[in-house]
Amino acid sequence: MGQRICMPQLSCHSPLGALTISEDDGRIVALDWGWGRDQEETPLLVKVRDLLEKYFDGERVDFRGLPFSPYGTPYRQKIWKAILDIPYGETRTYAEIAAQAGGSARSIGGAMGANPIPVLIPCHRVVGATGLGGYSGLNGVEDKKILLDLEKGD
């Protein structure tokens, strides 16, 4: 048998548009905007898709129990782990995350922009001291507003 070249992916519809979840070696490694070319229903990807559908239907979903393996530096891994602990419907500022995990508000922003698993690792819950800050989603801050409003129940 040949070696698997591509990792399993599964797509779903959302208020943000199509999203594609990628798995590698039994762990979630990415969530991207757009519909993936190849679709493979592994048990993990089906579970994540079902959780995302519940989340977008307005249910309080906790993604912390999922097996994540985002590619990134040890520092960014530490930041992403910290934001996983921000409860549903709550936000923290870049400065608060910097105080908790180390670094500066600017370095936290860099880690948020590089988050390969947005929504599931909820970087949308990290906001500026005087505004929303940026967002790496396809539609930028508009996607961040949609997610925050969804969690507020608006």
Side-chain angles (χ1 to χ4, degrees):
M1 291 196 67
Q3 183 176 346
R4 178 195 292 265
I5 304 280
C6 62
M7 59 185 80
Q9 294 184 321
L10 188 61
S11 300
C12 64
H13 296 285
S14 84
L16 308 175
L19 300 175
T20 298
I21 314 138
S22 299
E23 173 186 341
D24 189 22
D25 199 25
R27 303 184 71 74
I28 300 301
V29 295
L31 185 143
D32 297 296
W33 271 249
W35 199 267
R37 186 188 67 168
D38 299 317
Q39 301 290 304
E40 185 175 339
E41 290 192 351
T42 69
L44 176 58
L45 291 176
V46 168
K47 177 182 178 178
V48 174
R49 181 197 61 199
D50 292 349
L51 286 172
L52 280 169
E53 288 174 353
K54 288 178 182 177
Y55 173 79
F56 288 121
D57 283 343
E59 292 185 36
R60 293 178 72 94
V61 175
D62 185 351
F63 298 117
R64 288 180 296 180
L66 294 172
F68 293 114
S69 191
Y71 300 123
T73 65
Y75 174 71
R76 287 183 172 170
Q77 300 274 347
K78 184 178 179 183
I79 300 306
W80 298 329
K81 189 172 183 338
I83 63 170
L84 265 170
D85 290 331
I86 303 171
Y88 180 99
E90 294 185 22
T91 59
R92 300 291 183 273
T93 65
Y94 294 96
E96 288 172 323
I97 298 297
Q100 175 186 347
S104 66
R106 182 178 298 263
S107 68
I108 301 303
M112 297 300 98
N115 176 7
I117 315 174
V119 183
L120 300 172
I121 297 179
C123 54
H124 60 277
R125 295 179 187 156
V126 181
V127 298
T130 59
L132 288 179
Y135 192 64
S136 63
L138 182 64
N139 298 306
V141 176
E142 285 306 311
D143 285 347
K144 188 172 193 169
K145 287 179 189 171
I146 289 169
L147 294 169
L148 292 173
D149 288 346
L150 174 81
E151 292 186 13
K152 282 190 241 173
D154 292 351

